[in-house]
Amino acid sequence: MIYGYARVSSADQNLDRQLRSLSDAGVDAARIFSDKCSGKNLKRPSFQMLDKTVKEGDTVVVASMDRLARSLNDLLEKVNDFGNRGVTIKFLKENIEITSGNISPISRLLLGIMGAVAEFERNLIRERQAEGIALAKQRGVYAGRKPVSPEKIAEVARLIEEGVPKIVACKRVGIGRTTYYTHMERKNHD
């Protein structure tokens, strides 16, 4: 069986390009798992379902290495795990296919080099982003994240008092749970 995996870092990003490349590679749309969350680790809902679904003889197709893992360690760990389980993994952008149970020295070298380049590229992007934010702050054009209104915090507190679970209350009001906890912690320290 051939499965696909696609990932973007946030809910407002688009998976279309990756889904199209997976489809062009012959992956049935019904067998594509996708996540809209950070790649900082491998604990992603759809990826974990894919990981539980694949078995010996299956192939996992991914648009590029950085969509599977952001760190070289995670990438190598998962590729080795798939290989040990008899699962082939194919990276379209890098044109690398690692056949189950047969990770040749050259494949391992290419995987390591390409994975290291992807991790390096990600770190450069993060560094440039931080520099850009610092420059924007100096010019006075970067305000950061907009503060949450006290009314929204009060609304969440009201819902919680009515017995609504905190995470549900936060979602209803449209704020993050961490934001709510941060505001409550500040309030308790004042």
Side-chain angles (χ1 to χ4, degrees):
M1 196 70 56
I2 299 174
Y3 296 95
Y5 180 70
R7 181 189 65 79
V8 290
S9 298
S10 63
D12 61 340
Q13 291 179 321
N14 195 315
L15 286 163
D16 290 348
R17 182 184 51 80
Q18 291 178 61
L19 297 175
R20 189 172 32 259
S21 68
L22 292 171
S23 177
D24 291 348
V27 182
D28 183 350
R31 291 196 179 94
I32 296 176
F33 293 78
S34 62
D35 283 308
K36 288 192 170 192
C37 60
S38 171
K40 68 181 176 186
N41 61 45
L42 297 172
K43 293 182 174 111
R44 297 172 238 138
S46 289
F47 181 74
Q48 289 182 326
M49 284 194 306
L50 169 69
D51 199 24
K52 290 177 184 172
T53 302
V54 295
K55 59 189 180 312
E56 187 174 353
D58 289 344
T59 298
V60 175
V61 182
V62 186
S64 68
M65 286 181 188
D66 65 338
R67 300 298 86 202
L68 181 66
R70 271 197 339 210
S71 82
L72 181 56
N73 287 340
D74 285 348
L75 177 67
L76 294 174
E77 177 187 321
K78 196 70 241 169
V79 169
N80 284 330
D81 175 55
F82 280 153
N84 292 336
R85 291 166 44 198
V87 176
T88 297
I89 187 153
K90 183 176 184 177
F91 298 105
L92 299 176
K93 179 181 173 187
E94 295 83 4
N95 196 24
I96 295 176
E97 182 172 326
I98 299 175
T99 307
S100 57
N102 182 24
I103 302 176
S104 70
I106 192 71
S107 292
R108 189 176 298 279
L109 174 66
L110 286 173
L111 182 67
I113 291 170
M114 298 301 283
V117 167
E119 185 175 352
F120 175 70
E121 188 176 309
R122 172 70 186 132
N123 289 335
L124 284 178
I125 290 168
R126 199 176 315 134
E127 188 177 290
R128 276 182 262 151
Q129 182 181 27
E131 289 171 0
I133 289 171
L135 289 172
K137 283 180 179 179
Q138 284 176 356
R139 291 190 316 267
V141 295
Y142 183 82
R145 196 178 281 186
K146 292 180 181 172
V148 174
S149 71
E151 293 81 17
K152 284 191 172 190
I153 298 297
E155 176 66 14
V156 171
R158 186 187 63 74
L159 289 170
I160 292 169
E161 283 179 24
E162 291 177 2
V164 176
K166 289 178 186 172
I167 194 164
V168 174
C170 289
K171 281 186 180 180
R172 279 189 195 167
V173 175
I175 66 169
R177 186 180 53 184
T178 305
T179 301
Y180 175 73
Y181 288 138
T182 301
H183 279 273
M184 295 312 292
E185 190 175 299
R186 281 188 203 143
K187 182 180 174 184
N188 292 336
H189 283 100
D190 291 340

